[in-house]
Amino acid sequence: MAPDETARDAPAAVPARPPWWRRGALVRRLPPRLARALGRVVGWVGVLVVAAVGAGVGFSLAPGHETWVGPLQTEVRVHPSLEPGVAVDLPPVGQITFDTHRAPVEVTAGIEAVDLDAASRLVRSPQQLLALELTAADTVRAATVRAAAYSAACGVGGAVLAGTVVYRARHRALQTGAACLAALLGTGAATAATFDVTALQQPRFTGLLSRAPYLVTSTQDAMERLESYRSGLSDVVRSVSTLYAVSASLPVLGDGQPGAGAGEDVTTVLHISDLHLNPLGFDLVEDLVEQFGVQAVVDTGDITTLGSAVESSFLNRIGGLDVPYVFVRGNHDSAQTQEAVAAQEGAVVLDEGETAEVAGLRFAGKGDPVFTPEGEGSTAEGSAEDVQRRSNEVLAAGVERWGSAHPEDPVDVALIHDPSGLEPLMGRVPLVLAGHLHKRSVTLDDSGTRVMVEGTTGGAGITSAGLDRLADGTPLPLSATLLYFGEEDDELLAYDEVTVGGLGLAEVSLQRTVLSDTDRPALVEPTSTPTVTATPSVPATPTGTATPTGTGVTRPAAP
């Protein structure tokens, strides 16, 4: 066959198809040099996009590094984030965050397990606390470096894999990996350049920890700042270890699980008092309602300080709790304050011995008979105690009337503010809740009546006594009590005393007391009927706003 015939039979060469970015009419009209430059730019943008997607998948799959910090097994993770900083998850007490740097990297640490025996030893041993302070910072730092290495390796691996799948070319896969590595090196340099060690002394708290004060001194020496950080870190570990150790040893209530609180056959009521306008106190109430499944909140007064109309705006948060809010007036609450509370969604205001059924329990209450914003935290004596006694006679008469008309459904809880002159109530009701003293106490009378006085849920709040304690560096802790009642017999089964505050980084404690049958003796009812005598008029005494029907001023709870 002739050569020309061979050439004639061979198939014609097919011209290479141009890349997708050169197929448009606009690109074809561009000068060749500009078109090539545009092609390079578009090509590198594609590489960066593929690298970012692959690295993102790799970062999401990157494992954390587990290590023991004292008795706490923690998992540390490092990953890109638009909210940079350091976050420490401490269930169930909340989260601590530090604004330590500006680069888009977040370091998170979570509690995976707790060695309860080691936690108990740590709390009791000064030597172990010192050892923890000396080693905790180095342990956390090493775990962070290893977690960062894991995350970087997974990110680069994800970018290379994505480049291989998309481009099916070795040089493009290497380019995606190089782009990711360059971004990581730049981010690491930015993190190191913007890292501020002093930010470790300025944490932000969420959850229960957000109610604890954080007090540190201002220092200039870098070593002193570092040592302060070491001490703060050990304080966190110690406080959390204590909380976990106590929570794990809580007795089981109803059909609940160990350490998990109460079961479905238990009614949970939160007792608070003396908020005194402190918004942190209401924050604590919201946390406890959510975390412990509270079915009703009982406030025994002094929600304000001066009882003025301006202070009434503070009361708007009552409706946001989404549970019934039972209230009796304190000596710092005016009649206007009582009306403002009654206007809130879910509020139940009790006065003059009225009763109301809330969460399956029968409550009776009487507001404080005096209005004395200048007097704080003292038990009435002499004639003042007589005023409180006569007020309690009114409440006792209301309890007696309800019990006579409904012998199958007696009053379960009586609510007052000042725990003075309680004799008329003894033996007539199994539980009396009060406040006023800014100091928690629980007593069981020979008549079988238990009196529980709450501290100050607002840490004395905006009062002269509270502000003086804060200025002296000895702020009152925020306190509240969770009460657990049996659904069948409405008896008090147990109570948790929650205390948030103290000096140092944070301090949260929860102590459970379970009542046995011997702790709940039968009431020894008085033989005489309570007599109601007229209470002498007191200047500026608020008048009650509760309805005289015996059902209290109620509004339906928010859905």
Side-chain angles (χ1 to χ4, degrees), residues 263-286:
E264 295 181 356
D265 58 343
V266 174
T267 300
T268 304
V269 175
L270 176 63
H271 178 207
I272 64 174
S273 190
D274 297 81
L275 280 162
H276 286 297
L277 300 176
N278 189 348
L280 294 182
F282 247 120
D283 291 343
L284 173 61
V285 173
E286 290 177 349

Side-chain angles (χ1 to χ4, degrees), residues 488-510:
E488 293 185 0
D489 51 16
D490 296 338
E491 288 188 335
L492 182 64
L493 303 178
Y495 56 90
D496 292 343
E497 295 176 327
V498 181
T499 305
V500 180
L503 298 178
L505 180 65
E507 184 177 317
V508 182
S509 66
L510 185 150

Side-chain angles (χ1 to χ4, degrees), residues 175-325:
Q175 286 175 350
T176 56
C180 180
L181 182 59
L184 289 175
L185 292 176
T187 302
T191 302
T194 61
F195 192 84
D196 182 12
V197 68
T198 60
L200 295 171
Q201 298 182 17
Q202 301 172 4
R204 295 197 314 271
F205 300 110
T206 58
L208 290 182
L209 283 178
S210 62
R211 320 308 160 214
Y214 179 70
L215 305 177
V216 295
T217 58
S218 176
T219 59
Q220 299 297 324
D221 183 76
M223 184 56 67
E224 290 183 9
R225 289 198 300 269
L226 178 59
E227 290 306 314
S228 178
Y229 160 59
R230 288 178 179 270
S231 299
L233 181 59
S234 65
D235 286 342
V236 171
V237 176
R238 178 183 58 183
S239 297
V240 175
S241 300
T242 303
L243 185 63
Y244 277 119
V246 172
S247 299
S249 62
L250 293 179
V252 179
L253 296 179
D255 56 5
Q257 299 298 320
E264 295 181 356
D265 58 343
V266 174
T267 300
T268 304
V269 175
L270 176 63
H271 178 207
I272 64 174
S273 190
D274 297 81
L275 280 162
H276 286 297
L277 300 176
N278 189 348
L280 294 182
F282 247 120
D283 291 343
L284 173 61
V285 173
E286 290 177 349
D287 286 340
L288 292 174
V289 168
E290 179 180 358
Q291 296 180 21
F292 288 87
V294 170
Q295 293 153 275
V297 176
V298 172
D299 184 345
T300 49
D302 276 4
I303 194 172
T304 60
T305 296
L306 300 176
S308 63
V310 175
E311 296 171 316
S312 297
S313 60
F314 174 74
L315 310 177
N316 294 334
R317 300 184 64 179
I318 292 176
L321 296 175
D322 292 337
V323 296
Y325 192 93

Side-chain angles (χ1 to χ4, degrees), residues 451-477:
V451 180
M452 303 185 70
V453 180
E454 190 53 76
T456 163
T457 310
I462 313 301
T463 62
S464 58
L467 296 176
D468 288 344
R469 291 286 299 268
L470 184 62
D472 293 339
T474 57
L476 289 170

Side-chain angles (χ1 to χ4, degrees), residues 430 444 448-450 492-493 495 513-522:
L444 180 61
T449 296
R450 188 181 309 275
L492 182 64
L493 303 178
Y495 56 90
T513 300
V514 177
L515 304 179
S516 63
D517 292 338
T518 57
D519 296 324
R520 296 189 299 269

